Amino acid sequence: MADVDNNENTKTVDDTKKDKVIKFSDLGLGTEVLKAVTSSGYETPTDIQAQAIPALLRGEDLLGQAQTGSGKTAAFALPAIQNLKFDKTVEVLVLTPTRELTQQVVDEFTRLGKFKDTKVVTVVGGQPAYRQIELVNRGAQVVVATPGRLLDHLRSKKFKRFSPSLVILDEADEMLDMGFIEDIKKIFSYTPDDRQTVMFSATMPKAIRKLAEEEMNNPKTIMAKNSGERHKDIEQILYIVNRKERLDALVRLISSEDPEKALVFCRTRRDTDDVCIAITKRGIRARAIHGDMNQSARDQAMREIKQGTTKILVATDVASRGIDISELSHVFNYHAPDNKERYTHRIGRTGRAGKKGKAISIATPEDIRQHYFYKQQPMDKFKVEVIPSRTELKDKYQDKLIEKVNNIEIAPEAKEFFSQLSSESNIEEFFCRMFTCLQKSESVKGPNKIGLSIEEIKSLASRPQFSGSGRSGGRGGRGRGASAGGRPRRGAGGGRSSGGERRSTSSGGGRSSGGERRSSGSGGGRNASGGRRPGGSSPKRSSGGSRPQSSH
Ligand code: AMP
């Protein structure tokens, strides 16, 4: 198999764009499918679609590196629908890691297949098996399934006709990570030998390449153009706190960042519930999502975050798989991810479709020294910053309060109340009381200072455990405290008096401005290390033999 990262045949849409802008109609799709594309509001193909669709229409096996948000679902759904023969069997099988992703794939197939009268059936756990079997046997062309439940059905031999000529593994790395490898191999054994096989994966660990080698036939490998730089729109910030301060830090950071929508990642289901309850008690509207919840509770949480009635979703890695929430401005790593692939998945949920996103990690010094993720991860992508103190955020909240008051629509009875009040009481005193009352309800809570100071971070950063692969020195000493960028030290003239300047620094703890911060390195922020932590850090299906014979 050609190497995914170095495939000469990998042509990005940009290469082709040099000649002309690619349209959906250039890709070989038929009228009904193009009509569905237009009615879905898709104007131009995404990079992964432009690369994948022609190859899939030709019947080639395909190994694609792309993540949620790249348009990968339509990239495989459109050619799959186009190639349907309607020959009274299940023709397309899509395997996904979670029920949520299954639903998203079903929705996309249904939408894009509506002018070809495509029947799509969901096969997942937690729903009555007999109903799924009945729907498939009534004549579905497409089955979208999670591996466990599908395998149960295949073993029970209840499907009348099941010989998918196209098998798609969506988020293959996630499925392998969840331990589905044996189920997947077994499922392959129920499919025809000469099937077309497609795998999409956000990351390409060895296990994926191995599976591709075993199960695919000389696949074309493609990579979403921005795969390598897919985090370029995501600011990655690290805050270091003491063990007991983790929750205070999260609450403070949510308050200071004021995310449009955010996902907070926790290690376990229990942590997810605990964190959700704790931040809700502190006035932050949040919902948890994890595997112990029943489907309707999970759906409810998803609906609330999508509609915006809840801004914060607290999740485990597993529960968040495949979740596509637009306008996700922030991802918080409350607990460290297990490894860098998981980190990639987590933070890839923000910074989508050219929008800026922020990935905020909260870690203790012990995490930095001992946690597998931090030891494994080259750390120079992080900006290490100091959590804004309550005093620092006071100005910001005052501004917000004034803005809120200025934007509010005046109630009809307000003027009457005012004239009554002004004749009876001291209006200035009343205003001051009212303002204080509002300020109290809006103000930042929790201890004034949370997390390590700039000096403590620097002292930690000088230790070898922290600096990882030893690229130390070069960028050290450019933090907020000793900043070359002129950011005042906290408590050393950086207080209220610096009015306008404070305002620009307070949001997100001293960002000069969204994107600049990444490129400016040491200049603009409160980051402890100037944006760089010192140091860091064609498969062939063997002809005939290796693929088991289809038993259906
Ligand atoms: P996916 O990567 O498949 O999860 O898709 C992410 C989102 O992009 C989904 O909400 C799709 O409906 C949307 N989408 C897919 N293809 C296009 C396109 N060509 N233009 C605009 N939006 C798209």
Side-chain angles (χ1 to χ4, degrees):
M1 186 187 87
D3 189 289
V4 173
D5 298 326
N6 300 307
N7 184 6
E8 286 179 2
N9 295 328
T10 301
K11 190 175 185 186
T12 69
V13 75
D14 243 28
D15 297 334
T16 324
K17 260 187 185 164
K18 282 170 195 152
D19 307 318
K20 66 175 190 137
V21 176
I22 294 183
K23 299 200 281 297
F24 274 109
S25 54
D26 298 332
L27 301 177
L29 296 165
T31 324
E32 290 107 331
V33 174
L34 286 173
K35 213 165 123 190
V37 166
T38 310
S39 81
S40 299
Y42 302 168
E43 288 170 7
T44 47
T46 65
D47 175 60
I48 204 75
Q49 289 164 357
Q51 294 186 65
I53 292 170
L56 292 180
L57 286 173
R58 287 192 299 268
E60 290 172 33
D61 280 10
L62 186 92
L63 181 56
Q65 186 168 4
Q67 58 179 8
T68 312
S70 59
K72 66 182 165 60
T73 318
F76 59 72
L78 288 167
I81 294 163
Q82 166 83 22
N83 281 346
L84 287 176
K85 295 188 194 69
F86 295 87
D87 55 2
K88 298 200 169 68
T89 184
V90 172
E91 296 180 55
V92 179
L93 170 66
V94 187
L95 292 176
T96 83
T98 61
R99 288 178 280 189
E100 277 79 12
L101 184 57
T102 301
Q103 196 49 53
Q104 287 175 29
V105 173
V106 167
D107 292 346
E108 192 87 333
F109 263 95
T110 309
R111 188 169 51 233
L112 297 174
K114 67 180 171 189
F115 297 111
K116 287 197 80 169
D117 205 16
T118 312
K119 301 240 170 8
V120 190
V121 175
T122 314
V123 172
V124 294
Q127 290 172 8
Y130 72 91
R131 179 88 186 125
Q132 295 169 355
I133 293 163
E134 188 184 301
L135 287 171
V136 171
N137 287 342
R138 253 194 238 160
Q141 292 84 40
V142 182
V143 166
V144 188
T146 47
R149 174 56 71 92
L150 179 73
L151 193 55
D152 290 346
H153 288 329
L154 293 174
R155 284 189 168 127
S156 74
K157 299 193 189 316
K158 295 238 170 74
F159 290 149
K160 279 191 201 139
R161 294 198 66 189
F162 182 82
S163 51
S165 49
L166 170 59
V167 178
I168 298 154
L169 267 53
D170 192 14
E171 305 217 345
D173 52 349
E174 296 282 7
M175 284 195 281
L176 265 48
D177 215 34
M178 289 166 81
F180 280 133
I181 181 80
E182 291 311 318
D183 284 359
I184 289 170
K185 286 184 179 173
K186 189 77 195 145
I187 289 168
F188 274 131
S189 77
Y190 286 90
T191 65
D193 238 12
D194 58 354
R195 60 161 200 266
Q196 182 183 13
T197 312
V198 176
M199 247 195 250
F200 274 100
S201 189
T203 58
M204 282 290 159
K206 255 196 209 142
I208 292 289
R209 292 164 191 263
K210 188 161 175 284
L211 184 67
E213 210 152 308
E214 287 167 7
E215 300 289 351
M216 299 176 88
N217 187 13
N218 194 22
K220 179 183 168 71
T221 61
I222 59 169
M223 201 195 316
K225 190 192 102 225
N226 61 354
S227 245
E229 50 175 86
R230 63 177 170 266
H231 294 152
K232 75 174 178 16
D233 288 328
I234 305 171
E235 244 187 308
Q236 299 176 61
I237 308 164
L238 176 67
Y239 292 97
I240 305 177
V241 303
N242 295 306
R243 203 146 48 94
K244 289 187 176 153
E245 294 177 315
R246 214 188 275 274
L247 187 69
D248 284 331
L250 177 66
V251 172
R252 175 67 46 84
L253 289 167
I254 291 176
S255 306
S256 75
E257 292 286 327
D258 195 14
E260 215 169 314
K261 282 178 192 175
L263 258 174
V264 176
F265 282 100
C266 295
R267 190 176 33 214
T268 66
R269 295 166 182 190
R270 170 106 193 256
D271 293 328
T272 303
D273 277 336
D274 291 350
V275 168
C276 184
I277 291 166
I279 65 174
T280 305
K281 275 189 188 154
R282 302 224 203 156
I284 296 167
R285 231 187 127 99
R287 275 278 193 174
I289 185 160
H290 57 69
D292 280 347
M293 292 160 60
N294 65 31
Q295 193 59 36
S296 75
R298 284 161 65 144
D299 290 346
Q300 171 75 11
M302 284 304 296
R303 256 198 311 280
E304 286 191 17
I305 187 92
K306 284 191 171 173
Q307 288 165 357
T309 44
T310 298
K311 283 185 162 189
I312 314 284
L313 198 60
V314 190
T316 55
D317 288 298
V318 172
S320 79
R321 280 168 185 169
I323 288 178
D324 174 26
I325 306 166
S326 51
E327 288 124 35
L328 198 71
S329 57
H330 289 69
V331 165
F332 290 89
N333 291 306
Y334 185 77
H335 290 127
D338 287 345
N339 52 44
K340 65 175 194 284
E341 279 83 18
R342 184 117 325 285
Y343 180 77
T344 300
H345 277 284
R346 285 183 177 188
I347 75 167
R349 312 241 168 262
T350 180
R352 310 265 287 269
K355 285 187 188 164
K356 300 271 174 221
K358 269 194 182 181
I360 292 179
S361 300
I362 302 171
T364 64
E366 295 75 37
D367 289 338
I368 302 289
R369 288 190 205 104
Q370 292 159 13
H371 195 287
Y372 178 66
F373 166 71
Y374 287 108
K375 281 164 73 179
Q376 174 206 35
Q377 177 81 344
M379 299 288 288
D380 57 358
K381 65 174 66 173
F382 289 117
K383 287 219 162 195
V384 185
E385 298 199 349
V386 177
I387 296 176
S389 70
R390 203 181 54 226
T391 325
E392 284 175 317
L393 285 183
K394 223 173 120 198
D395 300 353
K396 186 180 168 187
Y397 272 69
Q398 203 129 307
D399 292 346
K400 252 175 73 177
L401 180 60
I402 291 166
E403 197 186 320
K404 201 167 163 179
V405 169
N406 276 335
N407 286 333
I408 219 152
E409 206 175 311
I410 298 172
E413 55 273 33
K415 288 200 171 144
E416 196 186 322
F417 179 64
F418 179 78
S419 60
Q420 199 184 340
L421 196 76
S422 52
S423 64
E424 285 173 13
S425 56
N426 180 340
I427 201 79
E428 184 185 334
E429 199 180 310
F430 184 81
F431 168 82
C432 292
R433 282 184 206 283
M434 201 145 154
F435 185 84
T436 311
C437 173
L438 279 172
Q439 199 185 37
K440 271 188 184 163
S441 68
E442 290 284 320
S443 70
V444 196
K445 310 213 170 42
N448 187 38
K449 174 188 172 299
I450 302 168
L452 270 60
S453 67
I454 194 77
E455 289 76 16
E456 288 166 323
I457 293 173
K458 280 173 138 189
S459 123
L460 182 72
S462 66
R463 295 182 203 167
Q465 297 99 317
F466 187 85
S467 50
S469 66
R471 275 183 273 150
S472 64
R475 293 165 191 267
R478 295 204 273 171
R480 191 178 65 158
S483 171
R487 176 73 49 220
R489 290 168 72 120
R490 187 166 55 183
R496 183 77 184 99
S497 60
S498 52
E501 192 189 342
R502 277 276 292 108
R503 250 187 296 282
S504 67
T505 66
S506 59
S507 149
R511 179 166 39 138
S512 53
S513 82
E516 278 166 39
R517 191 200 227 167
R518 282 176 62 79
S519 53
S520 67
S522 66
R526 296 152 37 110
N527 70 84
S529 57
R532 304 278 168 180
R533 210 168 83 168
S537 77
S538 89
K540 277 238 178 339
R541 188 158 56 215
S542 64
S543 49
S546 82
R547 179 179 286 178
Q549 285 295 315
S550 163
S551 54
H552 282 248

